[in-house]
Amino acid sequence: MTDFNTFSDAIIAVVGSRASGLKVADDAVSLMLDVSGLSEEQRAEIETEVRAAVEKVGARSVRIMLTAERIVPRLIAVASGKGGVGKSTLSTNLAIAMARTGRSVGLVDADIYGPSQARLMGVEGVKPEADGKIMIPVMGAGGVPFLSMGQLVNPGQAIAWRGPMAGTALSQLVDAKWGAVRDIIVDMPPGTGDIQLSMVQKHKPVGAVIISTPQDLALMDAMRAISFFESAKVPIIGLVENMAGYLCPHCGEMSDPFGSGGAEAAAKELGIPFLGRIPLDINIRIESDAGTPPALGEGPISDAYSAIAQRVATWIDSPKDTVA
Ligand code: ADP
């Protein structure tokens, strides 16, 4: 008799994570196959391939149930206590760095106060299409599908939604046609307002990444964001320190305009993971504003974002106790 793992390995080799619910009894195999997003022809092809693969490793009979059920993506909130600390820049680069490792990642710009992601993603002014009332994400930098609060209003128009209106707008972005996207990075507005409440009440994220600059005042703000998520039972994935240390492009001297290491020390004190440090580097702003965020390229800055992405991905993939 063939063991479960042999069948499972054979199936994964053909269809990866599209297969689920594998059952094996006396070499009779049954499984579910997610065929969402595939044409009729592709569906038939993939079914035949899976059937052949399991028969080859010893299946006596094979039952395949096709399903085109929508995958519900996991949300990862990127938050800060206040604006201007580099939250949008981190969200974009984190999504791109995760996508570069082969993950299926999307990005939502939920920052109603200043949605800036479209520029960073190189899709400023590109209007998303819709399937009926369901929005279809636009393809941004690094092949990352993307939707923004800014796409729900005319360019330059201020967003003045409160309460339920803000919540509805967030739902439009989160419940869009994300296809095979499994993880969505959500760039949250700074602070703890309506969007944050709607997010934790209606679209509970699996975890939150908090970003801060190193100085004490910014860290005090970050702590408020941390305690907001903790009180909503959203686990903190960790803290990122941004704008830590400035390498002068002229003289090469390293200086610390905002200090350095404060976030790491704060993370330690709070007992939350420290995810990494991004230096203050003018190229981050220049490349981001040009719609070619540094995580797309190579070099120390791209490496710094990759290291953070790796830690976040490891956290998402690790089994964890569910918080009630
Ligand atoms: P937030 O989303 O927190 O308001 P942004 O990501 O929009 O902040 O960043 C604010 C400004 O700082 C932007 O012009 C951005 O390009 C710049 N910036 C962010 N991180 C860095 C960094 N590490 N080095 C240099 N400039 C940065």
Side-chain angles (χ1 to χ4, degrees), residues 16-36:
S17 56
R18 280 190 182 267
S20 61
L22 174 65
K23 289 194 189 110
V24 181
D26 297 334
D27 288 342
V29 174
S30 71
L31 65 127
M32 303 251 290
L33 202 53
D34 167 19
V35 289
S36 53

Side-chain angles (χ1 to χ4, degrees):
M1 264 211 295
T2 316
D3 73 358
F4 181 92
N5 287 340
T6 308
F7 287 122
S8 164
D9 288 349
I11 295 164
I12 289 170
V14 179
V15 284
S17 56
R18 280 190 182 267
S20 61
L22 174 65
K23 289 194 189 110
V24 181
D26 297 334
D27 288 342
V29 174
S30 71
L31 65 127
M32 303 251 290
L33 202 53
D34 167 19
V35 289
S36 53
L38 301 181
S39 66
E40 283 301 322
E41 206 175 37
Q42 288 167 321
R43 288 176 183 195
E45 207 171 288
I46 203 171
E47 189 183 348
T48 309
E49 279 180 43
V50 172
R51 193 174 290 281
V54 278
E55 280 172 353
K56 197 171 162 199
V57 292
R60 183 171 50 80
S61 70
V62 188
R63 201 164 143 249
I64 299 177
M65 282 151 286
L66 301 185
T67 163
E69 238 175 87
R70 196 171 75 87
I71 299 166
V72 179
R74 294 172 291 201
L75 305 181
I76 297 109
V78 176
S80 63
K82 61 170 188 170
V85 297
K87 177 180 50 60
S88 302
T89 310
L90 173 68
S91 307
T92 313
N93 284 286
L94 181 58
I96 292 173
M98 284 171 73
R100 278 187 77 171
T101 66
R103 296 178 77 94
S104 192
V105 184
L107 177 67
V108 160
D109 180 3
D111 190 346
I112 40 172
Y113 302 122
S116 57
Q117 293 281 10
R119 167 178 285 198
L120 306 181
M121 291 298 275
V123 288
E124 210 170 11
V126 180
K127 278 268 168 205
E129 300 196 358
D131 180 356
K133 284 193 167 158
I134 304 183
M135 291 173 81
I136 302 172
V138 299
M139 202 50 82
V144 172
F146 162 75
L147 282 175
S148 167
M149 287 285 180
Q151 292 164 333
L152 301 175
V153 293
N154 292 325
Q157 188 185 333
I159 304 177
W161 299 314
R162 294 287 172 269
M165 288 277 280
T168 306
L170 179 67
S171 297
Q172 261 191 287
L173 306 183
V174 170
D175 298 330
K177 206 167 182 177
W178 286 101
V181 168
R182 299 215 162 240
D183 300 315
I184 301 179
I185 306 292
V186 185
D187 179 6
M188 304 288 291
T192 52
D194 293 326
I195 291 284
Q196 286 82 347
L197 276 178
S198 178
M199 182 83 177
V200 296
Q201 286 166 356
K202 254 167 98 184
H203 308 282
K204 199 159 185 172
V206 290
V209 172
I210 311 292
I211 176 165
S212 176
T213 47
Q215 73 273 42
D216 289 350
L217 273 179
L219 278 163
M220 272 165 64
D221 286 319
M223 280 179 204
R224 269 196 289 278
I226 291 169
S227 90
F228 170 81
F229 283 107
E230 281 180 343
S231 63
K233 306 258 188 288
V234 173
I236 303 296
I237 302 175
L239 188 62
V240 171
E241 184 170 82
N242 191 33
M243 307 189 185
Y246 174 68
L247 185 69
C248 174
H250 306 295
C251 68
E253 195 194 336
M254 192 77 170
S255 53
D256 286 331
F258 302 125
S260 179
E264 186 164 11
K268 204 167 179 189
E269 215 166 282
L270 294 167
I272 61 173
F274 180 66
L275 297 174
R277 176 175 292 127
I278 308 289
L280 181 66
D281 183 324
I282 192 163
N283 290 318
I284 296 182
R285 188 184 61 70
I286 293 173
E287 289 171 16
S288 298
D289 282 352
T292 52
L296 286 173
E298 308 299 332
I301 298 294
S302 177
D303 291 348
Y305 284 118
S306 290
I308 293 170
Q310 194 57 54
R311 289 185 192 113
V312 172
T314 304
W315 187 94
I316 301 171
D317 292 343
S318 66
K320 43 193 83 62
D321 300 334
T322 36
V323 199

